Amino acid sequence: MQAVLISVFSTEASRCVTPIGMNKVLVSMAFFFGVVGAVQARPIAVVDLDHTVFHTNFRIQKILSDLGKKHKILELEHVTLAEIIEFRSIREAAPLAQFIERVQPTFKDAFYRESSYLDFEAPMLGAQSFLSELVDVYGFDLVYLTGRGSEAFFDATKVELARANYPGFGARADLHEHVRLILKPESFSGTTAEFKVEQLKSIESELSPIVAIFDDSSRNLTAFYLNYGSRVVLVRIGQYRESELDTKISSHVVTLKHFLISREREELLRKLSNSCVAGLTKR
């Protein structure tokens, strides 16, 4: 199965479908915004969505509450944000873990296939201005790369990005030529880490060098490091971790609790500027 390039013009409802990587077999679907073939050689920052630029705790709470009502599990029906944060921090050791285990398959299906729950997410504070600064001031192109299912989440993800006014959408639709959105197709049978690594290789071969990757997943970040080493700046966002990074890798990952801490933010921007392999200079 070949990857399919879909260009969605902000002023038109029509879609232009063109194969990409004609000499490669990629199991993926990429949704590219802007005019095909008009991409300049700008450095690229790859940005995850869930847990990275969107808070998912309220979304998780709503899903668990609905499942609790359905399966008559009071502990889930009345789950609190504090319990969810605790579970995301210590996983199996959290009291909530035993109840989530009972609905795990159904929960995953709702989280990855039910786009209506995106209404309960919220943008990470400071993320909009940070990403806009990357594009406006430092000359980056952005690729939003997510494990969300393409068929179920494509339209809803565009709406969510527009609601947050992230670069390329909503009030910042003026940046659409510098933004790409890639979602994982339902037909992809591998892990999200495998999908993302495959897409990163395609991005660099088709577009320009990747300078930074923003993600929250230890598994994904480990895969990125094993493929790119220290050539790419790896940035981990958020205070909640599914597991700790391997000590050999953690020293190569920049951890940013959120986008509002000015000192950490400026240090990261300086690191990205210094690390840019495309001759990036602040404009």
Side-chain angles (χ1 to χ4, degrees):
M1 175 181 176
Q2 285 188 321
V4 176
L5 171 63
I6 297 183
S7 176
V8 182
F9 295 85
S10 59
T11 57
E12 300 178 13
S14 61
R15 295 179 180 179
C16 174
V17 182
T18 310
I20 65 172
M22 294 297 292
N23 59 342
K24 301 176 183 178
V25 178
L26 300 175
V27 186
S28 62
M29 182 162 291
F31 299 95
F32 273 46
F33 290 79
V35 180
V36 178
V39 179
Q40 299 179 358
R42 293 160 59 100
I44 292 175
V46 177
V47 183
D48 176 46
L49 296 182
D50 296 322
H51 314 308
T52 300
V53 294
F54 287 110
H55 279 294
T56 60
N57 289 338
F58 289 106
R59 176 181 168 195
I60 293 172
Q61 182 186 35
K62 177 60 175 173
I63 293 173
L64 290 178
S65 179
D66 286 351
L67 291 177
K69 293 176 183 177
K70 180 178 180 179
H71 297 284
K72 302 187 185 309
I73 304 174
L74 290 178
E75 291 81 359
L76 295 184
E77 182 177 353
H78 302 290
V79 65
T80 66
L81 282 177
E83 290 174 317
I84 291 172
I85 292 171
E86 180 185 42
F87 171 73
R88 291 188 59 193
S89 299
I90 60 178
R91 292 292 177 173
E92 288 76 12
L96 191 64
Q98 59 179 310
F99 303 108
I100 293 181
E101 182 65 27
R102 292 166 59 181
V103 298
Q104 187 69 3
T106 312
F107 171 82
K108 285 186 174 180
D109 190 65
F111 190 87
Y112 290 107
R113 295 178 183 274
E114 294 294 332
S115 61
S116 60
Y117 284 112
L118 292 183
D119 291 339
F120 296 90
E121 289 195 339
M124 291 279 192
L125 292 177
Q128 193 277 339
S129 62
F130 180 87
L131 295 179
S132 293
E133 187 173 359
L134 281 184
V135 179
D136 288 331
V137 180
Y138 289 88
F140 275 80
D141 278 357
L142 300 182
V143 176
Y144 299 108
L145 179 59
T146 174
R148 294 179 180 181
S150 58
E151 287 83 354
F153 281 91
F154 176 49
D155 291 330
T157 297
K158 288 195 298 176
V159 170
E160 185 181 29
L161 288 165
R163 191 164 54 223
N165 292 318
Y166 282 143
F169 300 87
R172 294 315 316 267
D174 58 303
L175 299 176
H176 71 276
E177 291 187 4
H178 301 298
V179 171
R180 319 285 184 267
L181 172 61
I182 304 177
L183 299 92
K184 187 172 73 171
E186 307 291 348
S187 58
F188 188 85
S189 59
T191 65
T192 296
E194 291 170 339
F195 167 73
K196 288 191 172 185
V197 167
E198 191 173 77
Q199 288 301 308
L200 294 177
K201 294 177 181 178
S202 178
I203 289 167
E204 287 210 308
S205 66
E206 300 284 340
L207 299 176
S208 57
I210 294 171
V211 173
I213 305 174
F214 295 75
D215 208 298
D216 73 296
S217 166
S218 299
R219 184 177 301 169
N220 293 348
L221 290 166
T222 298
F224 302 154
Y225 178 76
L226 292 177
N227 280 271
Y228 288 95
S230 58
R231 180 173 74 79
V232 171
V233 179
L234 301 178
V235 186
R236 190 176 205 179
I237 304 297
Q239 303 176 54
Y240 316 117
R241 300 173 174 83
E242 60 188 39
S243 63
E244 289 301 323
L245 285 168
D246 185 284
T247 54
K248 296 180 181 178
I249 298 175
S250 60
S251 61
H252 298 280
V253 176
V254 178
T255 298
L256 196 65
K257 290 183 179 179
H258 53 72
F259 294 96
L260 288 178
I261 303 177
S262 60
R263 180 179 57 81
E264 291 185 359
R265 175 172 169 152
E266 291 306 314
E267 287 179 357
L268 175 57
L269 288 170
R270 185 162 52 250
K271 183 178 181 67
L272 294 180
S273 182
N274 293 337
S275 301
C276 184
V277 296
L280 176 67
T281 56
K282 187 172 182 178
R283 295 182 297 176

